[in-house]
Amino acid sequence: MKILMVCLGNICRSPMAEGILQYKANMAGLNWKVDSAGTGNYHIGEAPHRLSQKTAKLHGIDISQQVCRQLVKEDMLLFDKIYAMDISNYNDIKMISGNLWDATKVELILNALFPNQNVDVPDPWYGNENNFREVFNMLSQACDAIIKNVTTDYKEKKFITNK
Ligand code: 4NP
């Protein structure tokens, strides 16, 4: 399964989300490929924010090799699932993907944790280390839920098939 994490800058939130989900998927033995992108073009080619790198590293996750890129409409075809960090990212993904938009693939990431509540992951760009930690913790819980939901779905489908 190919999963894309999307925020505005691809410098603070989505690089952490990519690192966290890839790490947890690997730990769970899932053959997932996780990537991230930004809807904006401010930081193309840069490494993740210093505090995103530091916060992830404190949890044993190295995101220093990630390189910021901008979302392109073809990402809608390349990925099975696209997670937006907030509602404005969601609307920008819709605009950028144009005629390739597929609503079944795109979801606010915190809806994995709080279904249908449309809660945003706050942007820590102007914040401090605590804000980055809070974001990390939200994303970590959301990624646990993503893995749990997918593996539960899988088990249920398998169970139905076996009947
Ligand atoms: P992100 O945060 O979307 O979580 O990467 C931001 C990073 C940079 C900017 C805005 C948000 N910026 O305006 O440069």
Side-chain angles (χ1 to χ4, degrees):
M1 189 149 93
K2 293 177 83 175
I3 297 174
L4 185 67
M5 301 295 190
V6 177
C7 63
L8 173 59
N10 190 211
I11 207 89
C12 300
R13 291 166 292 178
S14 62
M16 280 199 281
E18 173 188 336
I20 294 167
L21 188 63
Q22 187 67 71
Y23 177 87
K24 288 179 188 286
N26 292 350
M27 287 293 159
L30 297 166
N31 184 26
W32 288 6
K33 185 80 197 79
V34 188
D35 191 10
S36 64
T39 56
N41 62 1
Y42 318 104
H43 298 281
I44 294 171
E46 293 178 26
H49 191 288
R50 175 181 70 83
L51 292 175
S52 291
Q53 291 195 43
K54 183 177 175 185
T55 309
K57 198 72 179 284
L58 285 170
H59 292 84
I61 300 173
D62 182 2
I63 60 169
S64 63
Q65 300 308 306
Q66 290 184 27
V67 179
C68 171
R69 74 169 179 95
Q70 191 171 18
L71 182 79
V72 291
K73 67 187 296 193
E74 291 76 19
D75 284 321
M76 195 60 57
L77 301 175
L78 290 175
F79 290 88
D80 303 298
K81 196 82 196 170
I82 299 178
Y83 288 105
M85 300 297 121
D86 65 35
I87 193 67
S88 85
N89 305 149
Y90 183 96
N91 291 330
D92 289 341
I93 294 167
K94 193 170 186 176
M95 198 180 65
I96 291 167
S97 60
N99 63 331
L100 298 181
W101 169 253
D102 180 349
T104 64
K105 288 188 177 183
V106 190
E107 178 72 283
L108 284 175
I109 191 164
L110 289 184
N111 277 351
L113 204 53
F114 311 115
N116 306 314
Q117 291 189 36
N118 297 339
V119 180
D120 287 344
V121 178
D123 189 347
W125 176 242
Y126 294 107
N128 59 27
E129 203 164 334
N130 279 336
N131 300 114
F132 278 79
R133 268 197 220 126
E134 282 164 15
V135 166
F136 184 96
N137 289 336
M138 285 179 198
L139 292 174
S140 182
Q141 289 178 53
C143 290
D144 284 338
I146 288 169
I147 288 179
K148 185 164 168 269
N149 293 346
V150 166
T151 48
T152 306
D153 277 359
Y154 173 74
K155 278 183 200 141
E156 278 169 6
K157 278 188 193 131
K158 203 172 164 204
F159 178 66
I160 291 163
T161 320
N162 286 345
K163 265 179 120 177

